[in-house]
DNA sequence: GACAGAAATGACAGCGCTGTCAATTTGCGA
DNA sequence: TCGCAAATTGACAGCGCTGTCATTTCTGTC
């Protein structure tokens, strides 16, 4: 019924172990032998059994994507990252297990142990804020499970993928400055996300670069959600001197700002310029379309997974790749009134 | 290092096979024995190896979630469904593999075969439009792999979960009628989705119920995407007699309608009432908030997975559960002008 | 109390692969 | 041509569990 490694061996006239060697790309197989075996595998349509490989060997060809969907309101982001990871898995004959984690409580320990022990996971791909969740990283290290991070805060030694968000945020805010805005507010994201820190830093950089003062009352805390954007905007609208532009740390909050502006009777961009970050589908679905920064989530997922797989295959030690950002200037920003 | 089944057996003083029986909830194990074994498993923190179980036995405790992310623009929907499926997996100690499929080409055959042969998948959970993709269903049947469907078109014999979308759409449009609207347009979704059919049918039902004529020019084809909503709305706005209300087959398209209304200078809901379907996060992020129908995606994912697992465990034959819908009346609809 | 039949348990092989280590072949210099 | 190390290959056990079938232990019955 099923074509087994042994069948391929018999057909080729070599021992099963040699076929195994070819399968696992081990060195010290004569090139001519390798070719014969590969041909047989191909023609017999041989597919190794992951279960058997996992049981007998040390590798499972399974990677896990860990994410915290409680602290990650933008499900679009996670979905895109996941698709990217799956792209990479596909290319390298790995399988992926999606594993939502709750950072609060000890749940994550149990989950991670389950992944490692039960499934013999070969490696892990993580999204923020898990990328810098010390207890998790420690556990993974204890288990000796390699991991690849997407936008980790700590760049030192991490492998995965990142973007220069600080520079991007600076560029975005600089754009506002160039439009003549002098009272630019910022809505910060969830504290434990590196994204919040970088985007805020970029905001400050941009102000400093042109000698504009940093005014704490123009900086409001948000939570990356639409609702928190609304609340933050209302807060800003209650100030004696309204900002003429608001830079929200992500698109969802920017959407909230635009909502609150509507509520308040402010016309975007005539009375208020608004910009976000991420360039989620939402950005082009708002009226007016949102000025933001494009972050190639799917690509980043794919790259992070590829880095991990290079490492698992023993090729190289894994890198922290940087992907380029791109400003998306749309109609939600205009000259200061 | 690792606690094995044999260890539990030794500790309990029974044979490995008996422990295996307890693990698999097989009948004909004396209750007292079962208790002893369970206690030992618990205290020793025994975790069976999925790889070994998969290799030796016929089950893998793996289910696959199949989806078509090309034809499913609303990634939020998929993400929620997936979370629901994972909830169920968690509860029943199953693992899930996410498996995006492209319906075009023969890709899906290869993927499905890979799942079945390589991973010994126990069952499959599908989202539209895969739920009614004949070649896929046939292949699954050939392999003898049970599947559970979310919102399948063909109810006969299917197991999974559905919602009375036709009734929901009818209720929604009836609401518009009650607000005094007489020129109600409908933007249809992608043809091969049951959702498109049902929502359209409900629209017709509502009109018929109050004796309003069905006017084909008020029915425009869309693709479930924001962009297609914009285009469809522009088409409607070009008619000699503008509709006073538009029912888009999903929220994304409704957002497109509102975008086009803005573009055209129409004020929602004063000049135009708009409603959608699904109650995605987007619905409350638009201005004004969108009247729509809530579809409990996560819950549906969970229920579909649970049905599958009941079936896999040999309890019952699986049902097609119906979940209730709920109208979400918000500010995007108001009395006809 | 003996016996058939059901209930409960166990022995054992083997799922399809890989790790270990031993055996064989090859290459190359003396 | 011979000897030795390196390159290549193979034998074999076993990963942790379950299927099959045999065996033992209960039941209830007459």
């Amino acid at each position: 019924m099923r074509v087994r490694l042994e069948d391929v061996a018999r057909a080729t006239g070599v021992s099963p172990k040699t076929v195994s060697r070819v399968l696992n790309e081990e060195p010290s197989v004569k090139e001519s032998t390798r070719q014969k075996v590969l041909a047989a595998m191909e023609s017999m349509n041989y597919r190794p059994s992951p279960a058997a490989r996992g049981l007998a060997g040390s590798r499972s060809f399974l990677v896990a994507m860990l994410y915290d969907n409680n602290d990650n309101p933008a499900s679009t982001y996670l979905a895109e990252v996941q698709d990217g990871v799956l792209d990479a898995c596909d290319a390298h004959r790995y399988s992926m297990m999606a594993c939502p984690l709750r950072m609060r409580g000890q749940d994550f320990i149990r989950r991670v142990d389950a992944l490692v022990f039960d499934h013999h996971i070969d490696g892990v791909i993580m999204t923020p804020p898990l990328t810098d969740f010390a207890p998790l990283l420690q556990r993974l290290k204890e288990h000796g499970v390699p991991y690849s991070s997407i936008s980790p805060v700590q760049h030192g030694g991490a492998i995965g993928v990142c973007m220069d968000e600080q520079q991007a945020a600076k560029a975005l805010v600089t754009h506002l400055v160039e439009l003549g805005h002098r009272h630019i507010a910022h809505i910060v994201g969830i504290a434990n996300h590196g994204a919040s820190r970088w985007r805020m830093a970029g905001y400050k950089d941009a102000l400093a670069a042109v000698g504009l003062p940093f005014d704490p009352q123009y900086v409001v805390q948000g939570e990356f959600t639409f609702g928190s954007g609304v609340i933050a905007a209302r807060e800003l609208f209650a100030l004696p001197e309204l900002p003429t532009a608001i830079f929200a740390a992500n698109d969802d909050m920017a959407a909230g700002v635009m909502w609150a502006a509507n509520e308040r009777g402010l016309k975007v961009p005539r009375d208020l310029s608004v910009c976000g970050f991420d360039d989620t589908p939402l950005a082009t679905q708002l009226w007016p379309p949102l000025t933001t920064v494009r972050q190639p989530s799917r690509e980043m997922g794919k790259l992070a997974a590829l880095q991990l797989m290079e490492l698992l295959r023993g090729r190289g030690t894994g890198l922290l790749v940087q992907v380029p950002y791109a400003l998306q200037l749309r109609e939600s920003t205009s000259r200061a009134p």
Side-chain angles (χ1 to χ4, degrees), chain A:
Chain A
M1 189 66 204
R2 172 183 191 114
V3 182
R4 291 157 309 151
L5 185 139
E6 193 195 336
D7 302 322
V8 177
R10 215 186 329 259
T12 328
V14 298
S15 76
K17 179 65 214 187
T18 297
V19 178
S20 169
R21 288 197 177 92
V22 173
L23 185 62
N24 293 291
E25 303 180 9
E26 286 176 29
S28 81
V29 174
K30 212 199 298 174
E31 186 54 28
S32 62
T33 314
R34 169 190 307 284
Q35 291 307 334
K36 263 194 305 182
V37 171
L38 284 176
M41 281 182 174
E42 176 72 19
S43 76
M44 302 173 77
N45 192 26
Y46 168 68
R47 339 204 43 153
S49 151
R53 297 228 269 178
L55 185 58
S58 48
R59 293 176 305 168
S60 64
F61 296 89
L62 262 180
V63 297
M65 173 177 155
L66 265 42
Y67 59 96
D68 181 324
N69 54 352
N70 272 337
D71 252 2
N72 240 318
S75 61
T76 292
Y77 170 72
L78 289 175
E80 287 194 10
V81 170
Q82 179 176 310
D83 282 341
V85 172
L86 284 168
D87 287 344
C89 288
D90 223 33
H92 287 249
R93 290 184 158 269
Y94 269 80
S95 295
M96 186 207 80
M97 298 191 40
C99 189
L101 240 49
R102 273 164 289 279
M103 283 170 64
R104 290 166 246 170
Q106 296 294 297
D107 171 69
F108 77 93
I109 296 259
R110 194 178 56 72
R111 303 279 288 233
V112 171
D113 288 354
L115 281 173
V116 176
F117 281 128
D118 299 1
H119 294 283
H120 261 279
I121 285 292
D122 284 344
V124 161
I125 293 143
M126 287 179 292
T127 56
L130 259 34
T131 46
D132 294 277
F133 185 41
L136 172 61
L137 302 190
Q138 193 197 327
R139 196 76 178 177
L140 289 173
K141 275 177 192 149
E142 281 168 18
H143 287 315
V145 177
Y147 54 83
S148 176
S149 304
I150 296 170
S151 302
V153 178
Q154 300 294 338
H155 284 193
I159 81 161
V161 56
C162 64
M163 204 179 89
D164 193 339
E165 302 194 20
Q166 182 166 347
Q167 191 59 42
K170 180 180 177 189
L172 193 59
V173 175
T174 299
H175 171 68
L176 293 173
V177 170
E178 284 167 354
L179 286 172
H181 293 279
R182 290 298 171 266
H183 299 285
I184 305 172
H186 179 49
I187 304 179
V188 191
I190 298 177
N192 63 350
H193 282 62
S196 308
R197 227 173 295 174
W198 296 317
R199 295 168 196 187
M200 162 77 112
Y203 163 76
K204 283 185 176 171
D205 286 353
L207 295 185
V210 292
L212 281 175
F214 171 77
D215 186 347
Q217 72 176 348
Y218 279 153
V219 175
V220 189
Q221 185 65 46
E223 295 172 349
F224 279 143
T225 62
F226 175 83
S228 72
V230 173
I231 293 169
R234 282 181 187 148
E235 232 172 279
L236 290 169
F237 295 158
L239 291 176
E241 184 154 32
L242 263 59
T244 63
I246 300 180
F247 164 41
N250 77 346
D251 289 352
D252 279 13
M253 293 197 296
V257 171
M258 285 172 65
W259 199 94
N262 269 307
E263 180 189 53
R264 165 94 180 198
L266 294 171
K267 193 126 176 93
V268 175
R270 195 195 59 198
D271 308 320
L272 179 74
S273 286
V274 179
C275 56
F277 203 109
D278 286 345
D279 196 24
T280 60
L282 180 62
T284 46
Q285 300 178 7
L286 293 167
W287 182 270
L290 187 68
T291 290
T292 184
V293 176
R294 171 152 172 68
Q295 178 166 225
S297 314
R298 181 166 183 161
E299 191 62 20
M300 290 174 80
K302 182 170 180 177
L303 283 171
L306 287 178
Q307 286 309 308
L308 179 64
M309 285 160 199
E310 290 291 302
L311 187 131
L312 292 179
R313 291 211 168 184
R315 305 190 192 145
T317 54
L319 298 166
L320 186 65
V321 206
Q322 191 172 81
V323 296
Y325 61 86
L327 293 193
Q328 301 292 339
L329 305 180
R330 303 207 181 94
E331 288 77 50
S332 69
T333 46
S334 69
R335 295 213 69 75

